[in-house]
Amino acid sequence: MRTGTKTLLDEVLPEFDYRSRHDRHVLASPDVVASAVERYDVGRDASPLVRLLFRLRGLKVPSGSLRDALTGSGFGILAERPGEEVVVGTIGRFWALREQDYLERPRGLEDFHAFSPPGWAKGAMTVRVEARDDGSSTLVTETRVLCVDDHARRRFAPYWAFVRVFSGCIRRDFLGGIARIAERDPR
C-alpha cells in the first residue's frame, strides 16, 4: 500500500462503532500474496477448528475462493483495487438468533451508504495486501461495524463481546492459510 494512501475501507466505512484488525507478515511479494488470496479456499485451506466453528454456528463450511465464500454468505463487493484491497459489506441484525434471516446484501456502495432503518447495523470487511520495504508483504483483514442507532448498538454490544473471539480466530486462520500458500508457491 502506498504510504499516506487512504484505504478503501476508510472510504467505505470511515466512521464505525466496532472494529477488529488482524495482520500477518508474509515472506512473499505483494503480487504473489494477492494471487494466494484468490486461490485460498475455506473448505480446503481452513483449519479443522475453523471448519468446526462454522458448523457449530449452523453454517455450511463454504467452498471456493474467499471471495466466493463471502459473496455466497450475504456480503457484496463494495470496493476493490485489484491486487491490493477488496472490501465486502453486509447489512443485518447480526445478533438475531436466526442471523441469516436478517442479512441483506447491499447492491453496491451507494446502497450500503444509504441504508439507515432503525435497529440495523452495517458491517464491512477488507482484505488488503501492503508492500513492505524489503519486498515482502503485510496481509491485513479489518472488520468494522456501524450501528444505525442506539437500539442496534445495545443489541450488538453483547453479541460482539462473544463473537469477536471466534471471528478473530477465523480471520487469523485465513491469514495464516493465505501466507502458507504464498510462501510455498511463489509462482
Side-chain angles (χ1 to χ4, degrees):
M1 185 170 112
R2 297 171 295 273
T3 304
T5 301
K6 203 173 186 181
T7 68
L8 290 178
L9 183 61
D10 291 332
E11 295 172 19
V12 169
L13 202 58
E15 296 179 19
F16 49 91
D17 297 308
Y18 299 90
R19 173 183 181 258
S20 175
R21 184 184 187 283
H22 304 278
D23 62 61
R24 169 100 181 221
H25 180 212
V26 184
L27 299 173
S29 67
D31 61 321
V32 170
V33 176
S35 174
V37 169
E38 295 302 322
R39 293 188 323 242
Y40 179 84
D41 181 314
V42 178
R44 179 191 65 220
D45 299 318
S47 70
L49 173 62
V50 165
R51 289 193 295 266
L52 175 65
L53 289 173
F54 273 95
R55 286 193 290 281
L56 288 174
R57 191 143 183 223
L59 300 173
K60 180 181 173 213
V61 177
S63 62
S65 70
L66 186 56
R67 179 186 303 262
D68 293 339
L70 290 167
T71 57
S73 62
F75 287 84
I77 306 274
L78 300 178
E80 184 169 14
R81 269 190 205 114
E84 285 184 44
E85 182 176 14
V86 62
V87 179
V88 297
T90 190
I91 300 163
R93 290 182 171 157
F94 309 114
W95 54 87
L97 288 178
R98 293 172 48 117
E99 176 186 359
Q100 295 299 313
D101 293 342
Y102 294 95
L103 290 180
E104 296 206 11
R105 179 193 328 263
R107 291 184 299 266
L109 186 56
E110 197 171 295
D111 185 44
F112 184 78
H113 282 155
F115 190 90
S116 63
W120 288 71
K122 300 188 262 192
M125 184 185 96
T126 188
V127 177
R128 186 172 60 247
V129 180
E130 299 174 353
R132 295 172 64 115
D133 291 339
D134 65 1
S136 65
S137 307
T138 300
L139 181 61
V140 177
T141 180
E142 184 175 342
T143 301
R144 294 179 182 177
V145 176
L146 176 66
C147 297
V148 172
D149 58 12
D150 286 337
H151 174 73
R153 265 186 289 287
R154 284 190 302 274
R155 299 295 302 263
F156 188 80
Y159 165 82
W160 184 250
F162 178 72
V163 80
R164 184 176 183 186
V165 173
F166 302 106
S167 175
C169 177
I170 291 168
R171 280 150 181 72
R172 284 188 301 277
D173 187 79
F174 83 67
L175 291 176
I178 293 167
R180 283 188 295 281
I181 291 168
E183 290 172 349
R184 77 170 176 247
D185 187 19
R187 291 194 277 162

